[in-house]
Amino acid sequence: MIWNKSKECMSRDEMSDLQGKRLHKLVELVYHNVPFYREKMQALDLTPEDINSIEDIRKLPFTTKQDLRDNYPTGLQAAHQSEIVRVHASSGTTGNPTIVGYTRRDLEIWKECSARALTAYGVTRNDVFSVGYGYGLFTGGLGAHYGVEYVGATVIPTSTGNTDKHLRLLRDLKITGIACTPSYALYLAEAMERNGMTRDDICLRIGAFGAEPWTENMREEIEARLGLQAYNLYGLSEIIGPGVSYECVCKNGSHIAEDHFYPEIINPDTLEPQPYGTTGELVFTTLTKTGMPLLRYRTKDLCSLIGEKCDCGRTNVRMTRIIGRSDDMLIIRGINVFPSQVESVILDMPEFEPVYMLVVDRVNSLDTLQVQVEVRKDFFSDDIGGMLQLRKKLADKLKSVLSISADVRLMEPNSIPRSEGKSVRVIDKRQLK
Ligand code: ADP
Ligand code: ZN
């Protein structure tokens, strides 16, 4: 099922045409309403009349997270305060939160994108859907919530932090769909097993997971333990929230709602736009938002775009999984390391729980990487020889994937703290010194 064929299945020419027209209107809006953008455009000798097609986007300036901070709290707002009907803030994973104001129209767009995503996963009005993202300033909860209602399914606003109650509701209300972070999905699976429940006691069939990077191995793990089909849901509050892109049943990249959010991939060093298939920093222009529209916003998320047609019939461009944020990337002894690389190795080995922590430090001016990982109950033993062997097996695999050696620490089951929202998997002590 497709929620909005007229926008999700357009020909490429029609889409470019629509994007070009919307871009022109957007530029007019920010030029006249946001002094920050007018000044930036004036410095480049640009007026709205110079922007007439989507290709002209390359003439426009970028916007960074720092620009949002410099204009905190509402300096980049294009709408008058009386037009703003809701405010959210980014989670502040990597610094101070940024404030985002939404007009009534922005909330309509968001709801529409959220409904497109849920429909792409197969959610219908017959589903009973639990939203396990946090409700509040974070966009996850309310973003998914309004999409579920719009599709016509039953929404259960469980939010985070009620795990026991959540499990009971899953069983008693025969909940069929769930949205939460992938790490919380695993936490729920663990809690279920602790409570003596199995996946046969619940009816989940669809999961919408996002708000943090996750891997294919993690998908398999969640699907096996909760007995559902797990799909990716991507978004960020600066652009709108969850629903910027979403997987379809082909599970091969996430379709971008590009009639609203125009994507580009740039080389983060040269800022040059990159062709489809090349990994770089994802950049979005909000083509239709009126509260806090952004020109060429640098997300710091790293991925590539997929131009080929998808078997599901949608024509919208897809993006690959996020391999990490450019500021997530650890540079250890000069080598680039993403936590997601460690995750794939760990989840490939049946001996480990999908719970790990990276501790980076600097000892005698040499960087060190410690990887803490929980051994599954069935594999944990007092046999020191066996444990040492397991440790070496993991260390060798990590070395071949990362090209640097890691000090592996095998941990008892349930000894690493779980997270209900976005998980913290890296402690970089070098920054604390
Ligand atoms: P913050 O940047 O403070 O975490 P948000 O709550 O708006 O603010 O989170 C948006 C970010 O979360 C994205 O830029 C991205 O890094 C991450 N994210 C969201 N969805 C996904 C996803 N499906 N896969 C990977 N990362 C994601
Ligand atoms: Zn598709």
Side-chain angles (χ1 to χ4, degrees):
M1 280 266 290
I2 293 175
W3 177 256
N4 186 344
K5 277 206 173 108
S6 80
K7 294 297 181 299
E8 294 176 89
C9 306
M10 278 180 152
S11 76
R12 295 308 307 165
D13 285 348
E14 277 175 313
M15 179 60 84
S16 302
D17 219 44
L18 179 68
Q19 290 169 331
K21 290 197 177 96
R22 289 183 165 176
L23 181 65
H24 176 76
K25 275 175 83 174
L26 163 72
V27 170
E28 271 193 330
L29 175 76
V30 297
Y31 190 83
H32 294 293
N33 290 277
V34 186
F36 167 83
Y37 280 126
R38 183 167 54 249
E39 283 159 24
K40 279 209 159 190
M41 285 180 63
Q42 283 168 340
L44 293 165
D45 267 332
L46 284 176
T47 70
E49 278 58 55
D50 297 315
I51 309 297
N52 298 302
S53 72
I54 194 64
E55 284 75 36
D56 288 335
I57 200 164
R58 295 185 175 201
K59 300 177 184 166
L60 293 168
F62 290 101
T63 311
T64 63
K65 203 153 193 143
Q66 191 56 44
D67 293 327
L68 296 188
R69 291 193 179 129
D70 293 346
N71 291 280
Y72 177 91
T74 54
L76 294 190
Q77 220 163 269
H80 188 265
Q81 193 59 37
S82 64
E83 301 291 320
I84 300 292
V85 296
R86 183 156 357 129
V87 167
H88 279 282
S90 79
S91 351
T93 311
T94 56
N96 293 329
T98 39
I99 303 294
V100 188
Y102 296 73
T103 59
R104 208 177 283 284
R105 174 148 176 253
D106 295 341
L107 292 182
E108 291 295 317
I109 295 168
W110 191 9
K111 189 170 78 177
E112 155 79 17
C113 295
S114 191
R116 288 185 194 176
L118 292 160
T119 307
Y121 308 148
V123 175
T124 71
R125 52 190 306 127
N126 296 322
D127 281 289
V128 180
F129 204 95
S130 168
V131 176
Y133 283 119
Y135 279 67
L137 284 172
F138 175 52
T139 49
L142 288 174
H145 181 102
Y146 283 103
V148 176
E149 283 190 353
Y150 199 37
V151 166
T154 310
V155 67
I156 316 283
T158 27
S159 194
T160 49
N162 303 308
T163 306
D164 285 341
K165 193 184 275 172
H166 203 151
L167 285 179
R168 204 166 332 124
L169 292 175
L170 283 180
R171 188 188 55 202
D172 299 348
L173 299 181
K174 300 196 170 25
I175 290 173
T176 53
I178 185 168
C180 60
T181 58
S183 45
Y184 190 61
L186 280 178
Y187 181 67
L188 267 177
E190 283 182 343
M192 199 169 81
E193 289 150 19
R194 249 199 324 274
N195 282 301
M197 286 166 70
T198 72
R199 54 182 257 189
D200 298 331
D201 295 317
I202 56 171
C203 308
L204 281 179
R205 60 181 201 96
I206 292 172
F209 303 120
E212 62 186 8
W214 55 310
T215 55
E216 277 306 310
N217 288 338
M218 185 83 142
R219 176 178 355 238
E220 286 167 23
E221 177 85 21
I222 296 173
E223 290 188 337
R225 285 171 80 167
L226 289 176
L228 47 64
Q229 294 295 312
Y231 298 104
N232 203 359
L233 174 62
Y234 170 87
L236 61 168
S237 36
E238 293 87 337
I239 298 304
I240 204 145
V244 171
S245 77
Y246 44 89
E247 276 183 333
C248 59
V249 289
C250 303
K251 292 184 182 166
N252 185 16
S254 296
H255 289 281
I256 297 171
E258 49 166 336
D259 50 326
H260 296 294
F261 316 111
Y262 182 74
E264 296 173 90
I265 293 287
I266 59 163
N267 174 321
D269 301 321
T270 63
L271 306 185
E272 271 305 304
Q274 303 296 308
Y276 289 161
T278 305
T279 299
E281 180 176 349
L282 182 60
V283 169
F284 280 112
T285 298
T286 62
L287 295 174
T288 49
K289 252 180 32 160
T290 48
M292 191 187 76
L294 295 177
L295 298 183
R296 307 188 87 191
Y297 179 66
R298 296 184 55 184
T299 62
K300 295 193 171 176
D301 290 329
L302 303 173
C303 68
S304 64
L305 295 178
I306 307 171
E308 290 98 56
K309 245 188 118 179
C310 183
D311 291 339
C312 73
R314 288 175 184 78
T315 51
N316 292 3
V317 163
R318 282 168 288 161
M319 54 187 258
T320 60
R321 279 181 184 285
I322 303 290
I323 58 166
R325 299 188 187 208
S326 53
D327 44 14
D328 244 16
M329 189 182 77
L330 295 162
I331 303 181
I332 303 174
R333 280 173 252 150
I335 308 259
N336 299 347
V337 173
F338 285 101
S340 58
Q341 294 175 294
V342 175
E343 179 174 307
S344 341
V345 173
I346 288 174
L347 269 79
D348 245 352
M349 297 178 63
E351 294 92 339
F352 300 113
E353 291 286 347
V355 185
Y356 60 92
M357 185 76 92
L358 312 188
V359 184
V360 186
D361 203 351
R362 183 164 289 151
V363 180
N364 300 332
S365 56
L366 192 67
D367 295 340
T368 60
L369 169 65
Q370 186 186 85
V371 176
Q372 304 176 351
V373 57
E374 283 183 14
V375 180
R376 280 194 208 275
K377 250 203 329 273
D378 318 352
F379 290 93
F380 201 80
S381 84
D382 296 337
D383 165 21
I384 297 185
M387 288 291 99
L388 284 176
Q389 232 170 9
L390 179 59
R391 178 165 173 244
K392 180 162 183 332
K393 191 164 140 197
L394 175 57
D396 288 348
K397 286 199 182 191
L398 285 173
K399 174 94 198 260
S400 75
V401 170
L402 305 178
S403 320
I404 55 162
S405 344
D407 166 23
V408 170
R409 293 284 160 97
L410 302 184
M411 315 279 287
E412 283 180 42
N414 282 313
S415 55
I416 297 177
R418 277 24 178 193
S419 113
E420 292 176 349
K422 291 175 190 258
S423 44
V424 179
R425 295 211 160 107
V426 178
I427 301 174
D428 195 341
K429 295 189 174 163
R430 295 175 301 183
Q431 292 162 353
L432 306 174
K433 286 184 173 169

